[in-house]
Amino acid sequence: MTVTELLSYEAALAEYDPVMGLEVHVELGTKTKMFCGCSTELGQDANAQTCPTCLGLPGALPVVNAVGVESAIKIGLALNCEIAEWCRFARKNYFYPDMPKNFQTSQYDEPIAFDGYLDVQLEDGEVFRVEIERAHMEEDTGKSTHIGGATGRIHGASHSLLDYNRAGIPLIEIVTKPIQGAGERAPEVAKAYVAELRELIRALGVSEARMDKGQMRCDVNLSLMRKDAAEFGTRSETKNVNSLRSVERAARFEIQRHAAILEAGGKVVQETRHFHEDDGTTTAGRIKDNAEDYRYFPEPDLVPVAPAREWVEELRKGLPELPRVRRNRLREEWGVSEVEMQAILNAGAVDAIVATTEAGADAASARKWWMGELARNANEKGVSLEELPITPADVARVSALVASGDLNDKLARQVIEGVLAGEGTPDQVVEKRGLKVVSDDGALGAAVDEAIAGNAAIADKIRGGKVAAVGALVGAVMKATRGQADAAKVKDLILEKLGVSEG
């Protein structure tokens, strides 16, 4: 049935409990593909990075990428998984034009990593444990570009172009166990889980995990069950969601859509769904197959993978500091509260602040600029902090110029504005715009004398003991110097010339 109106979120949660399953595909940062020696470099001419193996030509035999296996083990260990002593690849059989072999080399019932968990922290500090079913190795498919039509999808297109450069790129698919008990916070849990997973993947150095570049994609499986029911409802699978915000929106929309269908007496169809970034809705894709429809069977051209226990333990010992541990350490080092640290995390500013301190700034100054001026700028432009055209080294330099007295905060904001506008480095912007603080005693003294002479009544009040009135004269000097004076120095100079002690 077609649902024209969604049930309100509150009404949906009053009657049903959401059950989620999140499948995240991570594109590994290996130099070559999973089963052949073709390059994985982006941006090359279509079909330039292909060979008989990744094109599925007869007689071509695959060989497993050792770095891909190592990356899979690292991910499994970081997710607290068991690492299989012996596992195999399987053929997942289905037809799609961008899959030249007509099967995907994947893992099915014998994954390399299984039975793990990831603890994720929600915005109010609550920790929610997401259990991991498995993490398995597989390959990506090619890319279809549909020409003609209004949506860019195959429906309504006049023809399609196929690029097999991506066919065979190493993937790790991480599949959760059914996520229950999150209630109204289910969409938030989904977002927090993918965010934490992304940070973990980056910390391991196995992928950049850029969702905007397709290096990390999430399928959001969702079903509803009545509060008194014992069995899960029929699930939908929203495919290839590619941002944290969209993961949350997709889960919320599907909760409301499922609830509307069920409350109207209809049945939810087990199908894939497409998520639409513009309005946060999903639309039907195809009827979803069950596992048996893929006719899985062991891949006869690949030997089983049997990682030695000594190697696994060596990789475990070499794991980097994981994100939650690192954040707790940084929170203590920076002297910020849980709430402040969560705000930094939500803004995506942790790495930028760390890099800025490594470039020479103190932590307080780094936080001030990234969480203030730069966060505001990113919000206005609708981009992430890492997408801003300014580096941590630039921010550290601005901080150093403020610390040395060459800039005040007002001038520093103008320097940052110039860097973001592409006017060069902080020093180049200072030079081009003439933004240094007026530190010449003669020039500053002249400006103070002029302010006193032009505001005789205020000067008399200050001499008479109303020291608070000095703010008006400081303002006059700052205006005369276009904000390029040190306000504290100006104040001291005014009081000195008027023969008044602040105490």
Side-chain angles (χ1 to χ4, degrees), residues 287-308:
I287 301 299
K288 178 65 177 176
D289 298 321
N290 290 313
E292 55 267 23
D293 295 321
Y294 291 122
R295 305 188 324 280
Y296 282 100
F297 64 85
E299 168 57 75
D301 292 334
L302 287 169
V303 297
V305 176

mmCIF file with all atom_site columns, all heavy atoms in Angstrom, residues 287-308:
data_model
loop_
_atom_site.group_PDB
_atom_site.id
_atom_site.type_symbol
_atom_site.label_atom_id
_atom_site.label_alt_id
_atom_site.label_comp_id
_atom_site.label_asym_id
_atom_site.label_entity_id
_atom_site.label_seq_id
_atom_site.pdbx_PDB_ins_code
_atom_site.Cartn_x
_atom_site.Cartn_y
_atom_site.Cartn_z
_atom_site.occupancy
_atom_site.B_iso_or_equiv
_atom_site.pdbx_formal_charge
_atom_site.auth_seq_id
_atom_site.auth_comp_id
_atom_site.auth_asym_id
_atom_site.auth_atom_id
_atom_site.pdbx_PDB_model_num
ATOM 1   N N   . ILE A 1 287 ? 12.562 -5.536  -4.456  1.00 0.00 ? 287 ILE A N   1
ATOM 2   C CA  . ILE A 1 287 ? 12.221 -6.523  -3.437  1.00 0.00 ? 287 ILE A CA  1
ATOM 3   C C   . ILE A 1 287 ? 13.507 -7.170  -2.956  1.00 0.00 ? 287 ILE A C   1
ATOM 4   O O   . ILE A 1 287 ? 14.354 -7.569  -3.762  1.00 0.00 ? 287 ILE A O   1
ATOM 5   C CB  . ILE A 1 287 ? 11.249 -7.588  -3.997  1.00 0.00 ? 287 ILE A CB  1
ATOM 6   C CG1 . ILE A 1 287 ? 9.969  -6.921  -4.494  1.00 0.00 ? 287 ILE A CG1 1
ATOM 7   C CG2 . ILE A 1 287 ? 10.953 -8.638  -2.945  1.00 0.00 ? 287 ILE A CG2 1
ATOM 8   C CD1 . ILE A 1 287 ? 9.206  -6.191  -3.412  1.00 0.00 ? 287 ILE A CD1 1
ATOM 9   N N   . LYS A 1 288 ? 13.689 -7.270  -1.642  1.00 0.00 ? 288 LYS A N   1
ATOM 10  C CA  . LYS A 1 288 ? 14.944 -7.741  -1.064  1.00 0.00 ? 288 LYS A CA  1
ATOM 11  C C   . LYS A 1 288 ? 14.995 -9.258  -1.039  1.00 0.00 ? 288 LYS A C   1
ATOM 12  O O   . LYS A 1 288 ? 14.085 -9.913  -0.528  1.00 0.00 ? 288 LYS A O   1
ATOM 13  C CB  . LYS A 1 288 ? 15.096 -7.187  0.363   1.00 0.00 ? 288 LYS A CB  1
ATOM 14  C CG  . LYS A 1 288 ? 16.347 -7.651  1.081   1.00 0.00 ? 288 LYS A CG  1
ATOM 15  C CD  . LYS A 1 288 ? 17.606 -7.147  0.418   1.00 0.00 ? 288 LYS A CD  1
ATOM 16  C CE  . LYS A 1 288 ? 18.836 -7.565  1.217   1.00 0.00 ? 288 LYS A CE  1
ATOM 17  N NZ  . LYS A 1 288 ? 20.080 -7.192  0.566   1.00 0.00 ? 288 LYS A NZ  1
ATOM 18  N N   . ASP A 1 289 ? 16.081 -9.794  -1.604  1.00 0.00 ? 289 ASP A N   1
ATOM 19  C CA  . ASP A 1 289 ? 16.261 -11.238 -1.606  1.00 0.00 ? 289 ASP A CA  1
ATOM 20  C C   . ASP A 1 289 ? 16.680 -11.727 -0.225  1.00 0.00 ? 289 ASP A C   1
ATOM 21  O O   . ASP A 1 289 ? 17.310 -11.013 0.551   1.00 0.00 ? 289 ASP A O   1
ATOM 22  C CB  . ASP A 1 289 ? 17.350 -11.637 -2.609  1.00 0.00 ? 289 ASP A CB  1
ATOM 23  C CG  . ASP A 1 289 ? 16.971 -11.259 -4.031  1.00 0.00 ? 289 ASP A CG  1
ATOM 24  O OD1 . ASP A 1 289 ? 15.784 -11.404 -4.372  1.00 0.00 ? 289 ASP A OD1 1
ATOM 25  O OD2 . ASP A 1 289 ? 17.862 -10.819 -4.783  1.00 0.00 ? 289 ASP A OD2 1
ATOM 26  N N   . ASN A 1 290 ? 16.377 -12.984 0.055   1.00 0.00 ? 290 ASN A N   1
ATOM 27  C CA  . ASN A 1 290 ? 16.912 -13.633 1.239   1.00 0.00 ? 290 ASN A CA  1
ATOM 28  C C   . ASN A 1 290 ? 18.245 -14.265 0.884   1.00 0.00 ? 290 ASN A C   1
ATOM 29  O O   . ASN A 1 290 ? 18.593 -14.429 -0.285  1.00 0.00 ? 290 ASN A O   1
ATOM 30  C CB  . ASN A 1 290 ? 15.937 -14.704 1.754   1.00 0.00 ? 290 ASN A CB  1
ATOM 31  C CG  . ASN A 1 290 ? 14.688 -14.086 2.345   1.00 0.00 ? 290 ASN A CG  1
ATOM 32  O OD1 . ASN A 1 290 ? 14.773 -13.147 3.130   1.00 0.00 ? 290 ASN A OD1 1
ATOM 33  N ND2 . ASN A 1 290 ? 13.525 -14.600 1.964   1.00 0.00 ? 290 ASN A ND2 1
ATOM 34  N N   . ALA A 1 291 ? 19.010 -14.650 1.909   1.00 0.00 ? 291 ALA A N   1
ATOM 35  C CA  . ALA A 1 291 ? 20.354 -15.169 1.667   1.00 0.00 ? 291 ALA A CA  1
ATOM 36  C C   . ALA A 1 291 ? 20.353 -16.363 0.726   1.00 0.00 ? 291 ALA A C   1
ATOM 37  O O   . ALA A 1 291 ? 21.229 -16.494 -0.135  1.00 0.00 ? 291 ALA A O   1
ATOM 38  C CB  . ALA A 1 291 ? 21.004 -15.548 2.999   1.00 0.00 ? 291 ALA A CB  1
ATOM 39  N N   . GLU A 1 292 ? 19.331 -17.240 0.856   1.00 0.00 ? 292 GLU A N   1
ATOM 40  C CA  . GLU A 1 292 ? 19.318 -18.435 0.015   1.00 0.00 ? 292 GLU A CA  1
ATOM 41  C C   . GLU A 1 292 ? 19.163 -18.108 -1.465  1.00 0.00 ? 292 GLU A C   1
ATOM 42  O O   . GLU A 1 292 ? 19.558 -18.880 -2.337  1.00 0.00 ? 292 GLU A O   1
ATOM 43  C CB  . GLU A 1 292 ? 18.217 -19.396 0.455   1.00 0.00 ? 292 GLU A CB  1
ATOM 44  C CG  . GLU A 1 292 ? 16.823 -18.801 0.507   1.00 0.00 ? 292 GLU A CG  1
ATOM 45  C CD  . GLU A 1 292 ? 16.477 -18.271 1.893   1.00 0.00 ? 292 GLU A CD  1
ATOM 46  O OE1 . GLU A 1 292 ? 17.411 -17.962 2.664   1.00 0.00 ? 292 GLU A OE1 1
ATOM 47  O OE2 . GLU A 1 292 ? 15.279 -18.184 2.209   1.00 0.00 ? 292 GLU A OE2 1
ATOM 48  N N   . ASP A 1 293 ? 18.612 -16.947 -1.772  1.00 0.00 ? 293 ASP A N   1
ATOM 49  C CA  . ASP A 1 293 ? 18.433 -16.564 -3.169  1.00 0.00 ? 293 ASP A CA  1
ATOM 50  C C   . ASP A 1 293 ? 19.760 -16.213 -3.844  1.00 0.00 ? 293 ASP A C   1
ATOM 51  O O   . ASP A 1 293 ? 19.831 -16.155 -5.071  1.00 0.00 ? 293 ASP A O   1
ATOM 52  C CB  . ASP A 1 293 ? 17.479 -15.368 -3.277  1.00 0.00 ? 293 ASP A CB  1
ATOM 53  C CG  . ASP A 1 293 ? 16.072 -15.718 -2.807  1.00 0.00 ? 293 ASP A CG  1
ATOM 54  O OD1 . ASP A 1 293 ? 15.643 -16.848 -3.100  1.00 0.00 ? 293 ASP A OD1 1
ATOM 55  O OD2 . ASP A 1 293 ? 15.436 -14.886 -2.172  1.00 0.00 ? 293 ASP A OD2 1
ATOM 56  N N   . TYR A 1 294 ? 20.785 -15.972 -3.043  1.00 0.00 ? 294 TYR A N   1
ATOM 57  C CA  . TYR A 1 294 ? 22.089 -15.648 -3.612  1.00 0.00 ? 294 TYR A CA  1
ATOM 58  C C   . TYR A 1 294 ? 22.905 -16.894 -3.962  1.00 0.00 ? 294 TYR A C   1
ATOM 59  O O   . TYR A 1 294 ? 23.976 -16.782 -4.544  1.00 0.00 ? 294 TYR A O   1
ATOM 60  C CB  . TYR A 1 294 ? 22.894 -14.769 -2.640  1.00 0.00 ? 294 TYR A CB  1
ATOM 61  C CG  . TYR A 1 294 ? 22.332 -13.373 -2.482  1.00 0.00 ? 294 TYR A CG  1
ATOM 62  C CD1 . TYR A 1 294 ? 21.944 -12.894 -1.237  1.00 0.00 ? 294 TYR A CD1 1
ATOM 63  C CD2 . TYR A 1 294 ? 22.226 -12.514 -3.574  1.00 0.00 ? 294 TYR A CD2 1
ATOM 64  C CE1 . TYR A 1 294 ? 21.455 -11.609 -1.078  1.00 0.00 ? 294 TYR A CE1 1
ATOM 65  C CE2 . TYR A 1 294 ? 21.740 -11.231 -3.436  1.00 0.00 ? 294 TYR A CE2 1
ATOM 66  C CZ  . TYR A 1 294 ? 21.354 -10.783 -2.181  1.00 0.00 ? 294 TYR A CZ  1
ATOM 67  O OH  . TYR A 1 294 ? 20.869 -9.505  -2.042  1.00 0.00 ? 294 TYR A OH  1
ATOM 68  N N   . ARG A 1 295 ? 22.423 -18.074 -3.565  1.00 0.00 ? 295 ARG A N   1
ATOM 69  C CA  . ARG A 1 295 ? 23.092 -19.338 -3.885  1.00 0.00 ? 295 ARG A CA  1
ATOM 70  C C   . ARG A 1 295 ? 24.582 -19.273 -3.510  1.00 0.00 ? 295 ARG A C   1
ATOM 71  O O   . ARG A 1 295 ? 25.459 -19.547 -4.330  1.00 0.00 ? 295 ARG A O   1
ATOM 72  C CB  . ARG A 1 295 ? 22.927 -19.706 -5.367  1.00 0.00 ? 295 ARG A CB  1
ATOM 73  C CG  . ARG A 1 295 ? 21.501 -19.753 -5.823  1.00 0.00 ? 295 ARG A CG  1
ATOM 74  C CD  . ARG A 1 295 ? 21.311 -20.292 -7.232  1.00 0.00 ? 295 ARG A CD  1
ATOM 75  N NE  . ARG A 1 295 ? 22.345 -19.944 -8.184  1.00 0.00 ? 295 ARG A NE  1
ATOM 76  C CZ  . ARG A 1 295 ? 22.446 -18.792 -8.825  1.00 0.00 ? 295 ARG A CZ  1
ATOM 77  N NH1 . ARG A 1 295 ? 21.558 -17.827 -8.596  1.00 0.00 ? 295 ARG A NH1 1
ATOM 78  N NH2 . ARG A 1 295 ? 23.405 -18.581 -9.696  1.00 0.00 ? 295 ARG A NH2 1
ATOM 79  N N   . TYR A 1 296 ? 24.847 -18.909 -2.266  1.00 0.00 ? 296 TYR A N   1
ATOM 80  C CA  . TYR A 1 296 ? 26.227 -18.867 -1.801  1.00 0.00 ? 296 TYR A CA  1
ATOM 81  C C   . TYR A 1 296 ? 26.870 -20.251 -1.924  1.00 0.00 ? 296 TYR A C   1
ATOM 82  O O   . TYR A 1 296 ? 26.241 -21.274 -1.615  1.00 0.00 ? 296 TYR A O   1
ATOM 83  C CB  . TYR A 1 296 ? 26.286 -18.466 -0.325  1.00 0.00 ? 296 TYR A CB  1
ATOM 84  C CG  . TYR A 1 296 ? 26.117 -17.001 -0.038  1.00 0.00 ? 296 TYR A CG  1
ATOM 85  C CD1 . TYR A 1 296 ? 24.887 -16.493 0.396   1.00 0.00 ? 296 TYR A CD1 1
ATOM 86  C CD2 . TYR A 1 296 ? 27.185 -16.121 -0.141  1.00 0.00 ? 296 TYR A CD2 1
ATOM 87  C CE1 . TYR A 1 296 ? 24.733 -15.143 0.704   1.00 0.00 ? 296 TYR A CE1 1
ATOM 88  C CE2 . TYR A 1 296 ? 27.045 -14.772 0.165   1.00 0.00 ? 296 TYR A CE2 1
ATOM 89  C CZ  . TYR A 1 296 ? 25.816 -14.298 0.584   1.00 0.00 ? 296 TYR A CZ  1
ATOM 90  O OH  . TYR A 1 296 ? 25.666 -12.962 0.895   1.00 0.00 ? 296 TYR A OH  1
ATOM 91  N N   . PHE A 1 297 ? 28.109 -20.283 -2.356  1.00 0.00 ? 297 PHE A N   1
ATOM 92  C CA  . PHE A 1 297 ? 28.885 -21.516 -2.243  1.00 0.00 ? 297 PHE A CA  1
ATOM 93  C C   . PHE A 1 297 ? 30.362 -21.131 -2.164  1.00 0.00 ? 297 PHE A C   1
ATOM 94  O O   . PHE A 1 297 ? 30.751 -20.036 -2.600  1.00 0.00 ? 297 PHE A O   1
ATOM 95  C CB  . PHE A 1 297 ? 28.621 -22.490 -3.398  1.00 0.00 ? 297 PHE A CB  1
ATOM 96  C CG  . PHE A 1 297 ? 29.018 -22.006 -4.756  1.00 0.00 ? 297 PHE A CG  1
ATOM 97  C CD1 . PHE A 1 297 ? 30.326 -22.149 -5.226  1.00 0.00 ? 297 PHE A CD1 1
ATOM 98  C CD2 . PHE A 1 297 ? 28.081 -21.421 -5.599  1.00 0.00 ? 297 PHE A CD2 1
ATOM 99  C CE1 . PHE A 1 297 ? 30.693 -21.721 -6.488  1.00 0.00 ? 297 PHE A CE1 1
ATOM 100 C CE2 . PHE A 1 297 ? 28.440 -20.990 -6.868  1.00 0.00 ? 297 PHE A CE2 1
ATOM 101 C CZ  . PHE A 1 297 ? 29.752 -21.141 -7.318  1.00 0.00 ? 297 PHE A CZ  1
ATOM 102 N N   . PRO A 1 298 ? 31.207 -21.985 -1.563  1.00 0.00 ? 298 PRO A N   1
ATOM 103 C CA  . PRO A 1 298 ? 32.620 -21.639 -1.374  1.00 0.00 ? 298 PRO A CA  1
ATOM 104 C C   . PRO A 1 298 ? 33.304 -21.301 -2.696  1.00 0.00 ? 298 PRO A C   1
ATOM 105 O O   . PRO A 1 298 ? 33.097 -21.964 -3.711  1.00 0.00 ? 298 PRO A O   1
ATOM 106 C CB  . PRO A 1 298 ? 33.217 -22.900 -0.750  1.00 0.00 ? 298 PRO A CB  1
ATOM 107 C CG  . PRO A 1 298 ? 32.062 -23.552 -0.063  1.00 0.00 ? 298 PRO A CG  1
ATOM 108 C CD  . PRO A 1 298 ? 30.876 -23.290 -0.951  1.00 0.00 ? 298 PRO A CD  1
ATOM 109 N N   . GLU A 1 299 ? 34.123 -20.264 -2.669  1.00 0.00 ? 299 GLU A N   1
ATOM 110 C CA  . GLU A 1 299 ? 34.878 -19.829 -3.853  1.00 0.00 ? 299 GLU A CA  1
ATOM 111 C C   . GLU A 1 299 ? 35.964 -20.860 -4.166  1.00 0.00 ? 299 GLU A C   1
ATOM 112 O O   . GLU A 1 299 ? 36.905 -21.037 -3.375  1.00 0.00 ? 299 GLU A O   1
ATOM 113 C CB  . GLU A 1 299 ? 35.487 -18.452 -3.587  1.00 0.00 ? 299 GLU A CB  1
ATOM 114 C CG  . GLU A 1 299 ? 36.525 -17.983 -4.580  1.00 0.00 ? 299 GLU A CG  1
ATOM 115 C CD  . GLU A 1 299 ? 36.026 -17.946 -6.003  1.00 0.00 ? 299 GLU A CD  1
ATOM 116 O OE1 . GLU A 1 299 ? 35.250 -17.036 -6.352  1.00 0.00 ? 299 GLU A OE1 1
ATOM 117 O OE2 . GLU A 1 299 ? 36.420 -18.857 -6.762  1.00 0.00 ? 299 GLU A OE2 1
ATOM 118 N N   . PRO A 1 300 ? 35.855 -21.581 -5.277  1.00 0.00 ? 300 PRO A N   1
ATOM 119 C CA  . PRO A 1 300 ? 36.808 -22.665 -5.559  1.00 0.00 ? 300 PRO A CA  1
ATOM 120 C C   . PRO A 1 300 ? 38.185 -22.180 -5.992  1.00 0.00 ? 300 PRO A C   1
ATOM 121 O O   . PRO A 1 300 ? 39.147 -22.965 -5.963  1.00 0.00 ? 300 PRO A O   1
ATOM 122 C CB  . PRO A 1 300 ? 36.114 -23.437 -6.696  1.00 0.00 ? 300 PRO A CB  1
ATOM 123 C CG  . PRO A 1 300 ? 35.279 -22.407 -7.389  1.00 0.00 ? 300 PRO A CG  1
ATOM 124 C CD  . PRO A 1 300 ? 34.808 -21.482 -6.310  1.00 0.00 ? 300 PRO A CD  1
ATOM 125 N N   . ASP A 1 301 ? 38.310 -20.906 -6.386  1.00 0.00 ? 301 ASP A N   1
ATOM 126 C CA  . ASP A 1 301 ? 39.587 -20.416 -6.898  1.00 0.00 ? 301 ASP A CA  1
ATOM 127 C C   . ASP A 1 301 ? 40.460 -19.753 -5.842  1.00 0.00 ? 301 ASP A C   1
ATOM 128 O O   . ASP A 1 301 ? 41.538 -19.238 -6.166  1.00 0.00 ? 301 ASP A O   1
ATOM 129 C CB  . ASP A 1 301 ? 39.334 -19.421 -8.042  1.00 0.00 ? 301 ASP A CB  1
ATOM 130 C CG  . ASP A 1 301 ? 38.748 -20.086 -9.281  1.00 0.00 ? 301 ASP A CG  1
ATOM 131 O OD1 . ASP A 1 301 ? 38.994 -21.296 -9.463  1.00 0.00 ? 301 ASP A OD1 1
ATOM 132 O OD2 . ASP A 1 301 ? 38.043 -19.403 -10.039 1.00 0.00 ? 301 ASP A OD2 1
ATOM 133 N N   . LEU A 1 302 ? 39.984 -19.727 -4.598  1.00 0.00 ? 302 LEU A N   1
ATOM 134 C CA  . LEU A 1 302 ? 40.767 -19.124 -3.518  1.00 0.00 ? 302 LEU A CA  1
ATOM 135 C C   . LEU A 1 302 ? 40.946 -20.109 -2.375  1.00 0.00 ? 302 LEU A C   1
ATOM 136 O O   . LEU A 1 302 ? 39.993 -20.788 -1.968  1.00 0.00 ? 302 LEU A O   1
ATOM 137 C CB  . LEU A 1 302 ? 40.065 -17.862 -2.989  1.00 0.00 ? 302 LEU A CB  1
ATOM 138 C CG  . LEU A 1 302 ? 40.089 -16.623 -3.887  1.00 0.00 ? 302 LEU A CG  1
ATOM 139 C CD1 . LEU A 1 302 ? 39.135 -15.567 -3.356  1.00 0.00 ? 302 LEU A CD1 1
ATOM 140 C CD2 . LEU A 1 302 ? 41.496 -16.056 -4.015  1.00 0.00 ? 302 LEU A CD2 1
ATOM 141 N N   . VAL A 1 303 ? 42.167 -20.185 -1.858  1.00 0.00 ? 303 VAL A N   1
ATOM 142 C CA  . VAL A 1 303 ? 42.422 -21.065 -0.715  1.00 0.00 ? 303 VAL A CA  1
ATOM 143 C C   . VAL A 1 303 ? 41.861 -20.415 0.542   1.00 0.00 ? 303 VAL A C   1
ATOM 144 O O   . VAL A 1 303 ? 41.712 -19.185 0.609   1.00 0.00 ? 303 VAL A O   1
ATOM 145 C CB  . VAL A 1 303 ? 43.930 -21.324 -0.536  1.00 0.00 ? 303 VAL A CB  1
ATOM 146 C CG1 . VAL A 1 303 ? 44.483 -22.057 -1.744  1.00 0.00 ? 303 VAL A CG1 1
ATOM 147 C CG2 . VAL A 1 303 ? 44.673 -20.022 -0.292  1.00 0.00 ? 303 VAL A CG2 1
ATOM 148 N N   . PRO A 1 304 ? 41.522 -21.174 1.569   1.00 0.00 ? 304 PRO A N   1
ATOM 149 C CA  . PRO A 1 304 ? 41.053 -20.590 2.825   1.00 0.00 ? 304 PRO A CA  1
ATOM 150 C C   . PRO A 1 304 ? 42.107 -19.673 3.445   1.00 0.00 ? 304 PRO A C   1
ATOM 151 O O   . PRO A 1 304 ? 43.307 -19.804 3.181   1.00 0.00 ? 304 PRO A O   1
ATOM 152 C CB  . PRO A 1 304 ? 40.804 -21.816 3.706   1.00 0.00 ? 304 PRO A CB  1
ATOM 153 C CG  . PRO A 1 304 ? 40.581 -22.933 2.744   1.00 0.00 ? 304 PRO A CG  1
ATOM 154 C CD  . PRO A 1 304 ? 41.496 -22.640 1.582   1.00 0.00 ? 304 PRO A CD  1
ATOM 155 N N   . VAL A 1 305 ? 41.628 -18.739 4.251   1.00 0.00 ? 305 VAL A N   1
ATOM 156 C CA  . VAL A 1 305 ? 42.515 -17.829 4.984   1.00 0.00 ? 305 VAL A CA  1
ATOM 157 C C   . VAL A 1 305 ? 42.625 -18.340 6.411   1.00 0.00 ? 305 VAL A C   1
ATOM 158 O O   . VAL A 1 305 ? 41.614 -18.531 7.098   1.00 0.00 ? 305 VAL A O   1
ATOM 159 C CB  . VAL A 1 305 ? 41.948 -16.393 4.989   1.00 0.00 ? 305 VAL A CB  1
ATOM 160 C CG1 . VAL A 1 305 ? 42.820 -15.473 5.834   1.00 0.00 ? 305 VAL A CG1 1
ATOM 161 C CG2 . VAL A 1 305 ? 41.846 -15.860 3.560   1.00 0.00 ? 305 VAL A CG2 1
ATOM 162 N N   . ALA A 1 306 ? 43.868 -18.590 6.862   1.00 0.00 ? 306 ALA A N   1
ATOM 163 C CA  . ALA A 1 306 ? 44.086 -19.137 8.199   1.00 0.00 ? 306 ALA A CA  1
ATOM 164 C C   . ALA A 1 306 ? 45.168 -18.318 8.894   1.00 0.00 ? 306 ALA A C   1
ATOM 165 O O   . ALA A 1 306 ? 46.345 -18.710 8.917   1.00 0.00 ? 306 ALA A O   1
ATOM 166 C CB  . ALA A 1 306 ? 44.482 -20.610 8.115   1.00 0.00 ? 306 ALA A CB  1
ATOM 167 N N   . PRO A 1 307 ? 44.801 -17.158 9.457   1.00 0.00 ? 307 PRO A N   1
ATOM 168 C CA  . PRO A 1 307 ? 45.819 -16.297 10.088  1.00 0.00 ? 307 PRO A CA  1
ATOM 169 C C   . PRO A 1 307 ? 46.435 -16.955 11.318  1.00 0.00 ? 307 PRO A C   1
ATOM 170 O O   . PRO A 1 307 ? 45.725 -17.431 12.205  1.00 0.00 ? 307 PRO A O   1
ATOM 171 C CB  . PRO A 1 307 ? 45.031 -15.039 10.461  1.00 0.00 ? 307 PRO A CB  1
ATOM 172 C CG  . PRO A 1 307 ? 43.603 -15.480 10.531  1.00 0.00 ? 307 PRO A CG  1
ATOM 173 C CD  . PRO A 1 307 ? 43.447 -16.585 9.544   1.00 0.00 ? 307 PRO A CD  1
ATOM 174 N N   . ALA A 1 308 ? 47.758 -16.986 11.363  1.00 0.00 ? 308 ALA A N   1
ATOM 175 C CA  . ALA A 1 308 ? 48.456 -17.567 12.507  1.00 0.00 ? 308 ALA A CA  1
ATOM 176 C C   . ALA A 1 308 ? 48.135 -16.777 13.766  1.00 0.00 ? 308 ALA A C   1
ATOM 177 O O   . ALA A 1 308 ? 48.046 -15.552 13.744  1.00 0.00 ? 308 ALA A O   1
ATOM 178 C CB  . ALA A 1 308 ? 49.961 -17.558 12.246  1.00 0.00 ? 308 ALA A CB  1
#
